[in-house]
Amino acid sequence: MSVIETLIEKEVELIQLTSSVFTQNLDHLGLVAGTIKQLGLVGRIDELLGENSRATKFVSVGECVAAMILNGLGFTNQALYLVSHFFSNKPVDRLLGGHLKGEYFNDDALSASLDQIAAADPTQFFANIAFPIAMNRKYRRLAARLDSTTFSLEGAYDGFGGSPEEAPQIISVAHGHSKQHRPDLKQITLSMVNTGPGAIPIWSEPLSGNASDKKTFHETIARVRAFQKAIGDSEEFRWVADSALYSKEQLLKSSTDFVWVTRVPETIREAKELTRKSDRELSWKQLTGGYKYHSTTSKFGEIEQRWLLVFSEAAYERESATLEKRIEKEKKTMEKALWHLSNEAFACETDAKKRFLEVVADFTLHQADFSVTTQAKFSKRGRPAKNAQPQDQEVKIVLPEIKENLEIINRLKATKGRFILATNDLDSNAFPDEEILKEYKDLAKLERGFRFLKDPWFMLDKLFLKTPNRIAALTAVMTLGLLVYNVAEYEMRAALKAQHKTLPNQLKKEINNPTLRWVFKLLEGISIATMATDKIVHSAVSNLTELAERIIRLFEHETEMVYGLENTAQQGKARKNGKK
C-alpha cells in the first residue's frame, strides 16, 4: 500500500469517527410535495380553519393534511396511524418544512386534524379549498361531472362512546346498494364532482351508506349551486351524470333551471321503442372511435329535450359476448331441468303439458317441442313377470331437442351497443350533438378517480377510523390527494406538449401523455444523502439521473427546490439571458 493510500484510509477512518452518514428516501414524493406547495394547500387550509387550525402545539391541520396526502400518494398501503412511521426514513424538512419532524405526525395529531375538518363540515371544507384552485388556475370548464361510489367498512359501527365520538355524526355507516359487491359489509357513499380536461375534483361529499343516487344527485347539484352563489361564482355549470339523474319527479320539472346531460333509463317505454328500431328506420351519423348516432327529440315528462341514440362498436362486441354467455348458460340449465322433467310420471297428457309449459316459461332464449309417451304401470317395482298385467297407464315427457329462440335473440342483439343520451339544451349550434356524447364519455374520468381512491395501495381502500365523522373528514383529505395527483398529471402532460417533449413508457416508447403513476416509478431510487459532523450538516440529492431531471424540470419551481435543482434552474435562465 502506498503512502498516499494509507493517508486516505486514515482520513476516511477519522471522518467516520467524527461524523454520521445516512440516507433518506425521496423518490417521487418531491413531485407530490412540490405540487402541494405550488397549490398553497397548507396555507389555504390553516387560513380556512382560523383559530382551529392547530392540531397540536407542534403541527397545524394544514401540515397534517399534507402529511396524509404524502402518505396516501406514497402508495405504501400504510394505515393512517402509521404516518409517523412512514416519515421515519423520509426527508421531512424538504417535503413539509424544516421546523417539522416525522414524529410530530402521530395518532393524536392526525385524529385532532380530522376532528377539526369534521367540525368545519368536510364538504364545505373541501369546496372552499378546491373551487378557488380550479377557478384561479383556469382548470374549470363549463361541464361539471357528477357521480358517486361506495366504500365498504370493516366493523360494526353500532355505537360510539367518549368525546368526540358522542358528537352528532355527519353520516351514517349503513348497509346499502354496494357498488363494491360487498353487501355483507356496511358502507359509506362518496359523491364527487369534477371539471375540465384534468378531471380536477371540485366537490367531495360524504353520504350515508344507504343513500340513493336518484335523490342525492339532485341534492348535490342544489348544494353546489348554492355554494357558487355564496362565493360569487355566477357561471352556471352544464351538469353531466348517469341515468340516476333522469326522473320525472326530480329532473323533468318546469322548475328545473340548469342545463343537464344524462343517460335515459332503458326502462322507459319510449326509450325501449327507440333502441329496438331497425337501421332502416334510423338516420345514422358516423363518428370516429366506432361510434354513430341518430338524433331526435322527445317530450317525455312534458319537457322538450334532445335525444341521441348512440351505437358503440366496442359496447356492441362486449354486450354481444355477454349475451352469448347468457344463451349458453340458459341452454345448460334448461337441459338439466328438462332431463329431470322427462323422468317424472304423469297421470295424463294434460297434466304433463301443464308442467312442461311451467318449466319452459322460465327460459326465454330457447324453445322446445312437447311430446309424450305412454307406458304401462305395474303394481310392483322391478321387472314385471312374463304374464303380469299392467295396473294402469302413465305418461312421460319425451326429452326434447332444445332450439334457440332466434326471434327474441335477434331482437336482443339489435339493441346491443345502443344507449340514449338526453339534454335539455336544444341549441344544436352552440351545443352540437357530437359534444353531448363527448361530455357523457368524460364521466369515465370520474370513474378513474374512484378507482384511484380504491387502489389497494392507497390509504382510502381501508377505513378503520373510530367514528363516521372522522371517516367523512378523511374522504375530504383523500379527495384532496386525488386533486393533487390530477393537477400534477395535468400540468406534466401540458408541459410535455407545450415543450414538444416526451417520456418513455413501460415499453420504452416515447410518448407525451404518460400517467403520473408511471412517472412516479421512474423516480424510484432518488434519495437524500446527509453527512453530519460536530460543526456542519451537509445534504445532497443522490441517484438523480438525466431522465429524472428531465421529469422534474416539467414541474414548477417548488418541485425543483425539493430536489435541489433551483440553483441549476437559475443558471439555465442566466445562460438564456446571455450571461456566461
Side-chain angles (χ1 to χ4, degrees):
M1 181 181 294
S2 67
V3 175
I4 294 177
E5 290 174 333
T6 303
L7 290 173
I8 291 174
E9 186 177 89
K10 289 182 178 180
E11 185 177 355
V12 170
E13 289 175 354
L14 181 62
I15 291 174
Q16 290 174 342
L17 288 171
T18 59
S19 66
S20 60
V21 179
F22 58 91
T23 60
Q24 296 170 303
N25 299 332
L26 182 56
D27 301 319
H28 68 276
L29 293 176
L31 297 188
V32 180
T35 305
I36 291 173
K37 294 175 182 180
Q38 169 192 331
L39 298 176
L41 278 188
V42 174
R44 288 176 184 270
I45 291 170
D46 291 340
E47 182 182 358
L48 178 64
L49 296 178
E51 62 182 16
N52 298 318
S53 64
R54 300 304 299 177
T56 68
K57 66 178 181 179
F58 298 111
V59 290
S60 70
V61 175
E63 290 164 343
C64 286
V65 169
M68 286 187 275
I69 291 173
L70 282 162
N71 183 41
L73 294 180
F75 300 108
T76 57
N77 200 21
Q78 295 204 24
L80 194 61
Y81 63 87
L82 293 176
V83 170
S84 59
H85 175 73
F86 170 78
F87 284 108
S88 63
N89 65 339
K90 306 293 189 300
V92 177
D93 58 333
R94 287 177 181 258
L95 297 173
L96 293 166
H99 64 292
L100 298 173
K101 297 180 181 179
E103 62 204 52
Y104 293 167
F105 301 101
N106 53 35
D107 190 26
D108 291 338
L110 302 184
S111 296
S113 297
L114 294 177
D115 291 337
Q116 295 290 17
I117 294 170
D121 183 344
T123 302
Q124 292 292 314
F125 168 83
F126 181 87
N128 276 295
I129 301 298
F131 252 90
I133 290 174
M135 293 169 68
N136 296 339
R137 298 182 67 87
K138 303 188 185 307
Y139 297 138
R140 175 199 167 131
R141 296 294 188 273
L142 177 61
R145 312 175 196 100
L146 167 64
D147 205 352
S148 73
T149 192
T150 58
F151 292 92
S152 300
L153 286 86
E154 306 283 349
Y157 288 92
D158 292 328
F160 311 97
S163 180
E165 288 81 355
E166 292 179 350
Q169 300 302 307
I170 300 168
I171 58 173
S172 172
V173 180
H175 290 289
H177 173 64
S178 177
K179 297 181 181 181
Q180 288 186 287
H181 308 293
R182 288 299 306 271
D184 56 311
L185 297 178
K186 291 184 177 181
Q187 63 183 20
I188 62 165
T189 303
L190 179 63
S191 183
M192 191 189 301
V193 178
N194 74 17
T195 187
I200 308 302
I202 56 173
W203 190 265
S204 173
E205 185 173 5
L207 301 168
S208 296
N210 56 1
S212 169
D213 288 349
K214 292 183 178 180
K215 179 181 178 183
T216 61
F217 276 8
H218 295 274
E219 293 173 345
T220 295
I221 291 173
R223 280 193 278 267
V224 173
R225 297 180 77 201
F227 178 83
Q228 288 181 268
K229 186 176 181 181
I231 65 173
D233 178 14
S234 59
E235 186 179 356
E236 287 280 359
F237 283 114
R238 178 190 291 139
W239 288 92
V240 185
D242 68 18
S243 60
L245 184 68
Y246 195 91
S247 67
K248 279 186 178 181
E249 298 76 16
Q250 298 278 357
L251 187 69
L252 303 179
K253 299 187 299 184
S254 58
S255 59
T256 299
D257 59 347
F258 60 87
V259 179
W260 46 264
V261 174
T262 186
R263 182 167 175 165
V264 180
E266 295 174 5
T267 54
I268 296 173
R269 180 185 299 176
E270 187 178 337
K272 286 182 180 178
E273 292 173 352
L274 180 57
T275 57
R276 290 174 179 174
K277 284 189 175 183
S278 67
D279 286 344
R280 296 189 303 274
E281 302 173 272
L282 301 169
S283 300
W284 291 112
K285 293 183 180 179
Q286 202 70 38
L287 297 173
T288 59
Y291 286 93
K292 60 182 178 181
Y293 72 91
H294 166 81
S295 181
T296 185
T297 58
S298 171
K299 287 191 176 181
F300 180 77
E302 299 182 1
I303 297 295
E304 192 169 1
Q305 50 201 284
R306 275 194 288 162
W307 277 19
L308 255 65
L309 175 63
V310 181
F311 174 81
S312 164
E313 289 181 6
Y316 177 80
E317 295 296 331
R318 184 173 62 252
E319 293 171 15
S320 294
T322 301
L323 177 61
E324 291 299 328
K325 291 179 182 177
R326 177 184 163 193
I327 293 170
E328 185 62 27
K329 183 178 180 181
E330 184 185 276
K331 182 180 180 181
K332 290 180 180 179
T333 306
M334 189 175 183
E335 285 174 343
K336 186 176 181 180
L338 291 178
W339 182 86
H340 284 291
L341 188 63
S342 68
N343 287 290
E344 292 184 29
F346 298 90
C348 62
E349 184 174 340
T350 302
D351 291 346
K353 187 169 186 178
K354 179 182 178 182
R355 179 61 182 144
F356 177 84
L357 293 176
E358 288 175 353
V359 171
V360 298
D362 294 332
F363 304 97
T364 58
L365 305 179
H366 294 85
Q367 297 172 317
D369 295 327
F370 172 78
S371 63
V372 297
T373 181
T374 303
Q375 59 187 42
K377 181 179 179 182
F378 294 88
S379 58
K380 294 182 180 181
R381 290 185 176 184
R383 186 175 180 178
K386 187 175 181 179
N387 298 322
Q389 295 297 316
Q391 184 182 22
D392 201 352
Q393 297 287 325
E394 64 181 9
V395 175
K396 285 195 172 185
I397 297 172
V398 177
L399 185 63
E401 179 185 358
I402 297 174
K403 301 176 182 178
E404 292 183 354
N405 190 334
L406 294 179
E407 181 181 350
I408 291 179
I409 290 174
N410 289 335
R411 192 189 309 156
L412 285 173
K413 283 185 176 180
T415 66
K416 297 306 176 186
R418 293 183 176 186
F419 57 93
I420 299 172
L421 301 180
T423 180
N424 62 340
D425 188 337
L426 304 178
D427 189 347
S428 58
N429 292 319
F431 188 30
D433 293 339
E434 296 85 347
E435 284 296 308
I436 297 176
L437 176 59
K438 181 182 180 299
E439 289 198 354
Y440 182 78
K441 286 170 62 181
D442 280 346
L443 273 177
K445 295 179 179 179
L446 262 176
E447 287 296 330
R448 180 191 172 201
F450 290 142
R451 287 196 301 272
F452 178 88
L453 293 176
K454 293 180 179 183
D455 190 304
W457 288 101
F458 196 64
M459 193 193 313
L460 200 53
D461 179 61
K462 295 181 179 179
L463 297 177
F464 295 105
L465 299 180
K466 291 182 178 180
T467 71
N469 276 0
R470 287 180 181 172
I471 292 170
L474 183 61
T475 62
V477 174
M478 292 298 96
T479 312
L480 281 176
L482 175 62
L483 183 149
V484 169
Y485 181 94
N486 284 0
V487 165
E489 184 174 81
Y490 176 73
E491 295 284 2
M492 174 191 68
R493 290 176 171 178
L496 283 169
K497 291 175 183 176
Q499 299 172 28
H500 305 287
K501 294 181 179 179
T502 59
L503 292 174
N505 66 5
Q506 293 90 327
L507 301 176
K508 302 189 184 304
K509 179 182 177 182
E510 293 291 325
I511 58 173
N512 64 2
N513 62 340
T515 65
L516 189 65
R517 186 71 176 269
W518 168 246
V519 169
F520 283 174
K521 292 190 70 67
L522 295 177
L523 298 180
E524 286 181 356
I526 299 176
S527 60
I528 303 296
T530 301
M531 184 174 72
T533 65
D534 294 337
K535 295 182 179 180
I536 61 169
V537 176
H538 179 71
S539 296
V541 180
S542 64
N543 300 325
L544 193 62
T545 64
E546 183 273 335
L547 175 59
E549 184 170 342
R550 277 170 52 200
I551 293 170
I552 295 164
R553 294 292 188 201
L554 296 169
F555 294 83
E556 295 190 13
H557 180 60
E558 292 84 354
T559 301
E560 292 180 332
M561 289 182 65
V562 176
Y563 287 98
L565 295 178
E566 68 274 17
N567 292 330
T568 54
Q570 293 169 1
Q571 292 170 8
K573 291 177 182 177
R575 284 193 295 271
K576 289 179 183 178
N577 293 329
K579 297 177 182 179
K580 301 291 184 179

